[in-house]
């Protein structure tokens, strides 16, 4: 009963029939012809349905495990399913060519994300966070940081995390206390971050943490917060991996769901301070992090649709198979499937309508994210500009 | 709701329905809870441009409602969608007015943010399903007999006639004021 078939027809309906004005084969995305997009969706559907989907319940049952040395292993099959995703080039599909990606519009990247989350939300979180890190670095990182870290993040051989929350700083990030002490061309980071999704794991060579922290002389509140890049393994000048940085996984959470996704407490600087590099401007950390946050918020919406679609598929299949009671149509006859009862049908259609509506709305939003790139490629076009998001 | 369809089989783990509920439950919490996002919309985003961006979007909803009215089989959907858009406009005006009050503004934003987000979400979802209905009707009119389009029409009909009204009720919630929230003392 535990299956998932990616809703390619539904996604194509939104992309091709509802959003034709938006991004397919438009200036800035000339490569994204309807044929190519169809092929991309079909291939993604295979990865989602055949490789990621079958691991969903194994991931739930096994969960991620932390060992005494602080290492974390993900459920059976997760690392190789992630590897298949990386080798297929999926991580960079929505990233511009200049950064090593495939420059497909956000609407297509979002459609693929929906499939992956529907197949396996716990695993889908890993590349979701990497995408946010790519976005934040691409917008705010120095050339040196971009050169060193972006190619591997875009490939997916390294993954990214976002480190905001501390036990006293949740919704109110002005309370962040993690310290960043300047030392030569870098900083020494110390403090503890909680709820770090995929903060430590065995599915990639390196993990790039983006961390909110404040300098010792920084003012209180939001304006004293800066953003730092802290790699799990330091990167040598030739790009190879060097020493292990001073960041460890202190524990992983026991959660209601997404058991396959390691939610970590990360300790920075227990042995002298983790080496970190400033991203963007000092004191603008929250602003820079919101580039990542906005990306992640849209993707959380997409994620919900992925899971809703899977729930629909389960419910529709069960309701048509489960025989119970009699409907007016079957009076005197055999038991009917519960899907013949209109009250059950109300539930089914309610699930279907919400999933359809939210999919269309989320992809409409993705189309809005594509507008700047389209506008850039057609300076004369009178396209509406999206409002700044923060 | 997937769990509910399964009845008792949904509450036990073996069908996998329960896992989906457990997994999805984090989405309204992380990257900013629904409440925080509602405050961002009703407080920051709306107040920043006095509702200009949302008004432009509501105009687009009205355009879709017009197009639906022009299609005899979809006219009722157009009427319902336009009414939803009017509710959203009215609620926006309330939230802007009360939210900009120097004394009670911050409390008003807190009190109305969630119903306002809820209303906006319902209207915008109905808007998208209005578009879906137009496209599906066109495909059927062009001769397609793919059951997909008939199913989409049912889905759009449901979204606008059976689901949008739940969202529209949020306007009444906003207009009923916040007295009960400010009077209530959780310690009492």
């Amino acid at each position: 009963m535990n299956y998932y078939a990616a809703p390619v027809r539904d996604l194509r309906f939104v992309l091709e029939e509802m959003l034709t004005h938006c991004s397919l084969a438009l200036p800035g995305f000339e490569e994204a012809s309807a044929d190519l997009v169809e092929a991309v969706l079909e291939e993604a559907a295979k990865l989602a349905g055949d490789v990621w989907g079958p691991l969903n319940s194994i991931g739930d049952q096994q969960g991620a495990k932390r060992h005494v040395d602080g290492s974390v292993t993900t459920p059976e099959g997760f690392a190789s399913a992630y590897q298949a995703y990386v080798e297929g080039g999926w991580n960079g599909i929505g990233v511009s060519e200049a950064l090593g990606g495939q420059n497909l519009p956000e609407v297509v990247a979002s459609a693929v994300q929906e499939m992956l989350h529907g197949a396996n939300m716990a695993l889908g979180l890993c590349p979701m966070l990497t995408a946010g890190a790519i976005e934040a670095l691409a917008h705010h990182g120095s050339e040196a940081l971009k050169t060193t870290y972006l190619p591997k993040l875009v490939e997916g051989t390294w993954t990214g995390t976002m480190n905001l929350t501390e036990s006293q700083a949740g919704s109110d990030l002005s309370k962040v206390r993690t310290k960043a002490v300047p030392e030569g061309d870098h900083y020494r980071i110390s403090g503890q971050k909680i709820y770090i999704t995929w903060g430590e794991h065995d599915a990639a060579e390196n993990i790039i943490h983006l961390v909110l922290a404040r300098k010792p002389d920084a003012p209180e509140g939001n304006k004293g917060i800066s953003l730092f890049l802290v790699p799990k393994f330091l990167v040598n000048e030739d790009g190879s991996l060097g020493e292990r940085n001073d960041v460890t996984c202190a524990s992983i959470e026991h959660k209601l769901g997404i058991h396959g996704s390691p939610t970590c407490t990360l300790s920075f600087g227990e042995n002298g301070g983790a080496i970190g590099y400033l991203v963007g401007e000092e004191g603008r950390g929250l602003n820079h992090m919101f580039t990542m946050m906005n990306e992640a918020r849209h993707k959380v919406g997409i994620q919900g649709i992925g899971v809703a679609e899977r729930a629909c598929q389960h419910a529709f299949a069960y309701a048509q198979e489960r025989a119970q009671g009699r409907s007016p149509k079957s009076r005197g006859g055999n038991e009917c499937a519960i899907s013949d009862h209109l009250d059950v049908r109300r539930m089914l259609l309610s699930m279907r309508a919400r999933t359809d509506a939210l999919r269309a709305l989320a992809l409409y939003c993705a189309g809005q994210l594509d507008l700047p790139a389209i506008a850039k490629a057609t300076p004369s076009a009178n396209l509406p500009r999206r409002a700044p998001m923060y | 709701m997937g769990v509910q369809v399964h009845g008792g089989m949904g509450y036990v783990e073996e069908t996998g329905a329960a896992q989906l509920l457990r997994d999805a439950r984090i989405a309204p919490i992380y990257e900013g809870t629904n409440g925080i996002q509602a405050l961002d919309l009703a407080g920051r985003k709306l107040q920043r441009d006095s509702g200009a961006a949302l008004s432009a979007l509501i105009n687009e909803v009205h355009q879709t409602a017009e197009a639906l009215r022009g299609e005899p089989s979809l006219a009722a959907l157009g009427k319902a969608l336009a009414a939803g858009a009017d509710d959203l406009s009215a609620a926006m005006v309330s939230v802007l007015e009360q939210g900009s009050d120097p004394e009670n503004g911050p409390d008003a934003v807190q009190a109305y943010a969630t119903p306002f987000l809820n209303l906006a979400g319902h209207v915008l979802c109905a808007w998208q399903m209005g578009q879906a209905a137009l496209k599906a009707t066109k495909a059927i009119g062009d001769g397609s007999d793919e059951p997909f389009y008939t199913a989409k029409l049912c889905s759009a009909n449901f979204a606008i006639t059976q689901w949008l009204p739940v969202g529209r009720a949020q306007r009444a919630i906003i207009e009923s004021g916040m007295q009960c929230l400010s009077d209530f003392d959780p310690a009492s």
Side-chain angles (χ1 to χ4, degrees), chain A residues 10 17 60 258 297 303, chain B residues 22-23 30-31 149 152 155:
Chain A
D10 292 273
E17 295 182 63
D60 183 54
I258 49 169
R297 283 181 172 175
Q303 189 173 54
Chain B
R22 289 187 289 99
D23 282 355
Y30 61 11
E31 315 308 350
Y149 290 111
K152 273 295 164 271
S155 179

Side-chain angles (χ1 to χ4, degrees), chain B residues 10-100:
Chain B
Y11 197 69
V12 298
E13 291 283 354
E14 66 190 72
T15 51
Q19 185 197 341
L20 299 176
L21 174 67
R22 289 187 289 99
D23 282 355
R25 191 58 188 81
I26 185 62
I29 297 174
Y30 61 11
E31 315 308 350
T33 61
N34 279 11
I36 290 286
Q37 304 219 39
L39 290 172
D40 183 53
L41 175 67
R44 211 173 308 160
K45 300 284 196 296
L46 205 58
Q47 310 286 339
R48 185 174 56 197
D49 66 356
S50 304
L54 184 59
S55 299
L57 194 58
I58 293 173
N59 274 338
E60 288 188 45
V61 178
H62 276 297
Q63 284 167 23
T64 301
E66 261 323 293
L68 288 164
R69 281 173 159 166
E71 194 69 52
S73 63
L74 304 176
L77 299 188
K79 200 173 156 218
L81 180 59
D86 287 339
D87 286 336
L88 182 55
S89 293
M92 178 183 79
V93 171
S94 292
V95 172
L96 276 171
E97 264 175 28
Q98 299 186 54
S100 58

Side-chain angles (χ1 to χ4, degrees), chain A residues 19-346:
Chain A
L19 284 175
T20 40
H21 63 289
C22 226
S23 323
L24 301 182
L26 279 179
F29 299 107
E30 287 84 354
E31 300 291 309
S33 65
D35 284 351
L36 177 78
V37 170
E38 186 187 342
V40 166
L41 295 181
E42 293 291 351
E43 280 306 306
K46 282 184 205 158
L47 177 72
D50 301 343
V51 184
W52 281 36
L55 298 173
N56 196 42
S57 107
I58 298 168
D60 183 54
Q61 286 156 26
Q62 292 185 356
K65 292 203 170 63
R66 178 189 175 274
H67 307 283
V68 279
D69 63 355
S71 66
V72 171
T73 45
T74 49
E76 226 173 291
F78 269 41
S80 57
Y82 179 71
Q83 201 52 41
Y85 162 91
V86 171
E87 280 166 10
W90 291 106
N91 202 50
I93 61 166
V95 180
S96 71
E97 268 167 345
L99 299 177
Q102 294 171 39
N103 200 41
L104 286 171
E106 186 58 43
V107 289
V108 179
S110 292
V112 170
Q113 289 259 326
E114 187 209 305
M115 298 185 201
L116 295 171
H117 287 302
N120 195 323
M121 174 173 160
L123 181 54
L125 277 163
C126 179
M128 182 172 126
L129 272 297
T130 307
I134 292 169
E135 192 87 352
L137 269 183
H139 277 93
H140 307 295
S142 65
E143 282 311 310
L145 286 182
K146 286 196 239 183
T147 311
T148 308
Y149 295 96
L150 272 182
K152 295 283 191 181
L153 284 168
V154 172
E155 272 174 27
T157 39
W158 298 352
T159 65
T161 71
M162 57 200 285
N163 291 238
L164 290 80
T165 308
E166 298 174 12
S167 53
Q168 78 292 349
S171 294
D172 183 1
L173 289 166
S174 67
K175 298 274 170 53
V176 158
R177 283 204 292 251
T178 295
K179 266 207 181 61
V181 180
E183 184 187 88
D185 67 342
H186 58 260
Y187 292 77
R188 288 283 180 175
I189 312 289
S190 56
Q192 194 171 72
K193 292 286 183 181
I194 62 170
Y195 299 159
I196 309 309
T197 300
W198 285 83
E200 173 59 31
H201 61 85
D202 57 357
E205 292 167 10
N206 202 1
I207 304 172
I208 310 306
H209 307 291
L210 291 183
V211 183
L212 288 182
R214 55 174 87 239
K215 281 174 60 183
D217 57 353
E220 296 276 299
N222 290 341
K223 290 201 165 65
I225 299 175
S226 305
L227 181 62
F228 298 89
L229 181 154
V230 183
K232 173 180 169 184
F233 288 103
L234 298 172
V235 180
N236 298 322
E237 276 196 13
D238 64 356
S240 62
L241 295 184
E243 272 179 53
R244 178 72 199 252
N245 205 354
D246 187 8
V247 47
T248 51
C249 171
S251 63
I252 59 175
E253 304 291 345
H254 301 278
K255 308 187 295 292
L256 179 68
I258 49 169
H259 294 157
S261 163
T263 304
C264 303
T265 296
L266 292 183
S267 291
F268 293 87
E270 289 197 331
N271 295 297
I275 292 180
Y277 309 94
L278 181 69
V279 178
E281 291 171 48
E282 263 180 34
R284 301 261 296 155
L286 267 190
N287 173 285
H288 298 341
M289 189 59 107
F290 261 82
T291 303
M292 189 171 185
M293 187 66 119
N294 282 325
E295 161 82 25
R297 283 181 172 175
H298 178 246
K299 291 302 176 298
V300 168
I302 298 280
Q303 189 173 54
I305 297 155
V307 179
E309 172 64 37
R310 189 170 191 152
C312 273
Q313 293 182 14
H314 277 227
F316 274 67
Y318 183 78
Q320 290 174 81
E321 173 196 300
R322 169 76 171 163
Q324 202 79 171
R326 286 169 180 76
S327 77
K329 279 181 206 146
S330 65
R331 192 168 296 150
N334 295 327
E335 281 189 315
C336 66
I338 60 169
S339 62
D340 283 344
H341 300 302
L342 291 199
D343 184 55
V344 173
R345 227 174 254 192
R346 171 178 291 284

